[in-house]
Amino acid sequence: MSYIFNVQQIVNGLQLGSIYALIALGYTMVYGIVRLINFAHGDFYMLGAYAAYGAFYLFNSFISVKSGAFAFLILLAAMAAGGGIALLTNRFAYRPLRYKPKLSALITAIGVSMFLEYFFSALPMIGPSPRAFPEILPKKLYHIGGAAGAEISNYVIIDISVAAVLMTGLTLLIQKTALGKAMRAVSEDKDAARLMGIDIEKVIAWTFLIGGAFAGAAGLLAGLTYPRIQPYMGMMPGLKAFIAAVLGGIGNIPGAVLGAYIMGLAETFASAYNSLLGEGIAFAILILVLIIRPTGILGEKTADKI
Amino acid sequence: MSMAHKPRFLIAALVFYAAVEGFSRIGLLNGYFMVIINESLIYVILAVSLNLINGITGQFSLGHMGFAAVGAYTSGAITTIAFRLSPDRPLDYSIFVLSLVAGGLLAALVGFLIGFPSLRLKGDYLGIVTLGFGEIIRTALNNMDFVGGPRGLLGIPKFSSFTLIFAAALISVIIIRNLVESSHGRAMLAVRENELAAELVGIDTTKYKVLAFSTGAFFAGIAGGLLAHLLQMAHPSQFGFMGSVLILIMVYAGGIGSLSGSILAAFVLTFLSQGLLLGIDALANATGLSIGSEWRMVIYSVLLILLMLFKTEGLMGTREFRLLRIPEEEK
């Protein structure tokens, strides 16, 4: 047991959880506001990783020092790509279906996801085969805690702190700004919010932009941590982040973060124990949660309206 | 019931069978075409059985290929073992039919178990749980060494002929059509339209949801068995999320709740998919450019999005072909 539940595994779990958290936030925000499982969200994450890859080689040609500012520019590129594609998807694929049956929007989301994955593998400059993600910052290893301790790289610190900063920013945005207030209002009651003069479509567009940007940032962090990117990379993390959002209570922002860290830790521990368990644990957790407590850990129970 | 009076659908189906079989005998349809027709017919079974769950009963299953996987591996394993036990004697078709039924029954059992969460969950949540079940089945198959694990189950004897696949598809469609037209089917429609109201008029909603899941799963298991004996292999990657999504697309593109739509879409989309492949090959040869086969799926997904945007209710809406309808006076 001791070598499964050791410090190293906890660190790895938190690192994976940070990436899941950034993806799960977008899922949960979009679900909270438009009640749509955005299947293409995992592909926004993939686009973020490719945008970071492209930005690295673009900037690398005229900036030679790999500094923090250099990495920050790449982060911005990844977030812009994720947010931009999310905005476009919302405008052209989801908005026309807003008042149509919900499941047709879901099928459209699956269509968008397929389109992004196959389009990127069909593009000659990207292609279906995996690519090695560059070292954006020089990797350093620190050893902590003596003999039973763990190796921690600066990437772990970057992953966790980028996620923490973005999540704090989001919390402030939602709690303190007018836009955040509008978002909360729309997710509470769309019609009442419209009657109060809130431009619903604008709020939805902002939600997609922020959610997509977070997924883009997660793509960069994933590329940095697991340096192999490919056009289909978004599918599984997307699903798992979605499950994390359900686990925490979909539509609930602290819930998504909590669910993502539980998921990251559970997956890391389970993989250390047995690889089959590692692959299946996410779905096993999901099924248990939905059978025992379908609203998730932090979700509120709602009664069916008749 | 009505089949005895006016078997119009049966006659139309037999004309189709005779035409395809005849054309194939005189060489107008080559082997390649026959494979596409066989695949289309297997997709007919998959799409119609998923429509029973999603369209008729209004549940949301995203893991239909998981049931097909159970059927494919069960029947594939049975015939492969039987083949190994007596390699000299040619196998007769009764073993194959028995293995198909066994696969269907095991899939139905899995469907029965998966039906239970549907008692508590609705809509998207149910979709995600069924997706999870599908992925668990795939992961489990990937790790079961006695059925080949990640290599897949290979060397399955080739049993699926056009005649058998056609017969299976015809029987499946007729059984599901008759189920939908029966009082059980009406109860399923009531569950879809308003579950609470259905319960208030005394319909056992639990029973009908579980019935829809296990019946749908049974036919998906049969289809899986047919597919395994057509391709002579079963591989975990065939039965993943994308596979389930392709069936789901057929149901929605055809028109949710319309069995005719599912049949039509199964043929149209299977042929479209192959046609795009040939078209891209031809274009690549004609222009001398290297065009990846991924473009096929790009076009396919764009068509899907456009269909959903501009014809949300699908090709057939909720209408049925006249052939498939049971006329009012005969009920």
Side-chain angles (χ1 to χ4, degrees):
Chain A
M1 287 302 262
S2 65
Y3 64 90
I4 292 172
F5 291 100
N6 64 16
V7 183
Q8 185 73 57
Q9 299 297 351
I10 294 174
V11 170
N12 294 347
L14 290 176
Q15 189 178 20
L16 185 61
S18 301
I19 293 170
Y20 284 161
L22 287 178
I23 311 174
L25 280 171
Y27 261 120
T28 220
M29 285 166 69
V30 166
Y31 193 89
I33 288 186
V34 285
R35 300 275 179 263
L36 164 73
I37 301 177
N38 179 16
F39 267 107
H41 198 71
D43 301 299
F44 302 163
Y45 153 90
M46 175 270 290
L47 268 160
Y50 273 97
Y53 177 91
F56 174 83
Y57 286 107
L58 183 69
F59 297 156
N60 206 22
S61 52
F62 49 89
I63 306 173
S64 55
V65 191
K66 288 182 179 177
S67 66
F70 175 74
F72 184 70
L73 276 179
I74 292 175
L75 177 66
L76 285 185
M79 290 180 73
I85 193 74
L87 264 188
L88 288 174
T89 305
N90 172 51
R91 178 64 191 81
F92 293 106
Y94 300 156
R95 192 170 151 181
L97 289 168
R98 200 80 80 208
Y99 300 99
K100 295 272 180 71
K102 209 168 70 175
L103 291 180
S104 44
L106 189 71
I107 303 289
T108 311
I110 293 174
V112 171
S113 167
M114 278 169 69
F115 171 74
L116 290 175
E117 285 170 17
Y118 287 106
F119 183 66
F120 272 78
S121 39
L123 279 183
M125 60 278 238
I126 290 177
S129 39
R131 281 166 190 258
F133 197 81
E135 259 191 30
I136 288 174
L137 287 170
K139 191 170 184 170
K140 294 190 196 94
L141 279 177
Y142 307 101
H143 194 85
I144 57 157
E151 294 278 347
I152 292 185
S153 74
N154 52 342
Y155 286 6
V156 176
I157 301 163
I158 292 170
D159 286 354
I160 297 178
S161 47
V162 168
V165 167
L166 287 176
M167 288 187 284
T168 314
L170 181 68
T171 312
L172 289 176
L173 177 92
I174 287 177
Q175 298 300 333
K176 306 282 182 197
T177 65
L179 174 66
K181 209 175 196 172
M183 281 175 164
R184 281 181 285 145
V186 174
S187 88
E188 191 87 17
D189 189 331
K190 225 189 258 181
D191 296 319
R194 198 199 320 267
L195 290 173
M196 295 298 116
I198 294 171
D199 183 349
I200 305 228
E201 284 305 331
K202 203 169 130 190
V203 173
I204 295 175
W206 272 105
T207 308
F208 270 93
L209 178 70
I210 297 169
F214 275 42
L220 162 68
L221 298 182
L224 208 58
T225 315
Y226 316 103
R228 222 173 80 103
I229 58 171
Q230 50 150 326
Y232 307 104
M233 67 186 272
M235 202 180 228
M236 276 326 256
L239 273 178
K240 286 175 183 165
F242 174 75
I243 293 171
V246 174
L247 173 62
I250 191 136
N252 183 308
I253 286 177
V257 177
L258 178 68
Y261 280 107
I262 293 178
M263 190 75 116
L265 289 167
E267 196 180 322
T268 313
F269 291 143
S271 310
Y273 187 70
N274 174 307
S275 67
L276 167 62
L277 204 60
E279 276 178 72
I281 187 105
F283 297 104
I285 290 180
L286 170 79
I287 288 165
L288 281 181
V289 169
L290 289 180
I291 291 173
I292 298 165
R293 195 181 155 82
T295 48
I297 301 172
L298 297 183
E300 281 164 34
K301 208 170 169 62
T302 53
D304 274 346
K305 285 180 194 142
I306 298 172
Chain B
M1 36 180 181
S2 72
M3 306 311 298
H5 301 293
K6 265 189 193 170
R8 284 182 307 190
F9 178 66
L10 206 58
I11 292 170
L14 290 177
V15 168
F16 168 81
Y17 170 76
V20 172
E21 187 66 26
F23 286 147
S24 125
R25 288 270 166 90
I26 59 171
L28 275 176
L29 290 174
N30 59 16
Y32 177 65
F33 248 103
M34 290 309 289
V35 171
I36 305 176
I37 290 176
N38 283 334
E39 277 189 13
S40 305
L41 286 168
I42 291 174
Y43 271 110
V44 166
I45 305 180
L46 289 168
V48 168
S49 59
L50 181 63
N51 206 341
L52 180 70
I53 302 172
N54 284 26
I56 307 294
T57 320
Q59 303 304 299
F60 189 45
S61 171
L62 264 177
H64 210 53
M65 266 300 186
F67 303 136
V70 173
Y73 272 83
T74 309
S75 73
I78 291 174
T79 54
T80 314
I81 291 168
F83 186 65
R84 276 186 202 147
L85 288 180
S86 61
D88 316 318
R89 206 152 45 87
L91 285 171
D92 63 80
Y93 277 88
S94 59
I95 294 177
F96 174 51
V97 174
L98 279 179
S99 78
L100 281 183
V101 173
L105 287 176
L106 202 60
L109 180 69
V110 175
F112 179 74
L113 295 177
I114 293 177
F116 274 106
S118 73
L119 310 178
R120 291 196 57 174
L121 302 168
K122 290 194 178 77
D124 303 347
Y125 279 99
L126 182 59
I128 294 301
V129 168
T130 50
L131 193 166
F133 267 113
E135 286 299 303
I136 286 176
I137 291 173
R138 192 179 61 87
T139 312
L141 289 174
N142 243 331
N143 286 275
M144 281 186 203
D145 245 358
F146 63 95
V147 287
R151 281 165 287 121
L153 185 59
L154 303 173
I156 300 175
K158 183 162 176 105
F159 267 127
S160 297
S161 61
F162 170 63
T163 308
L164 266 170
I165 295 175
F166 174 80
L170 183 63
I171 294 170
S172 309
V173 170
I174 289 178
I175 290 179
I176 292 176
R177 196 279 310 256
N178 284 1
L179 178 66
V180 171
E181 297 277 352
S182 73
S183 62
H184 300 296
R186 294 291 177 256
M188 288 172 173
L189 287 173
V191 172
R192 174 185 79 185
E193 291 302 323
N194 190 331
E195 205 178 318
L196 194 72
E199 202 153 345
L200 286 175
V201 297
I203 290 170
D204 185 350
T205 53
T206 302
K207 180 179 126 189
Y208 284 108
K209 286 196 224 166
V210 174
L211 179 69
F213 263 99
S214 35
T215 313
F218 175 79
F219 287 108
I222 300 270
L226 290 168
L227 192 65
H229 290 85
L230 177 71
L231 305 175
Q232 294 185 267
M233 58 168 281
H235 193 271
S237 67
Q238 287 171 289
F239 302 105
F241 175 53
M242 276 319 282
S244 299
V245 164
L246 285 182
I247 309 171
L248 193 74
I249 289 171
M250 286 173 184
V251 172
Y252 279 78
I256 182 102
S258 161
L259 300 183
S260 318
S262 296
I263 298 171
L264 184 70
F267 273 97
V268 169
L269 292 181
T270 311
F271 272 84
L272 177 72
S273 170
Q274 290 295 330
L276 286 175
L277 201 62
L278 291 179
I280 285 168
D281 262 7
L283 192 67
N285 284 335
T287 55
L289 297 169
S290 71
I291 305 173
S293 60
E294 288 83 11
W295 286 107
R296 170 176 73 134
M297 293 308 284
V298 175
I299 299 171
Y300 193 93
S301 53
V302 169
L303 288 176
L304 172 70
I305 297 170
L306 292 177
L307 181 76
M308 280 295 131
L309 288 181
F310 296 108
K311 202 156 168 51
T312 311
E313 73 284 1
L315 293 172
M316 294 288 292
T318 51
R319 286 164 298 153
E320 296 284 358
F321 293 139
R322 276 193 46 213
L323 288 173
L324 256 184
R325 277 197 307 242
I326 296 179
E328 286 300 321
E329 71 271 16
E330 287 182 25
K331 276 183 203 161

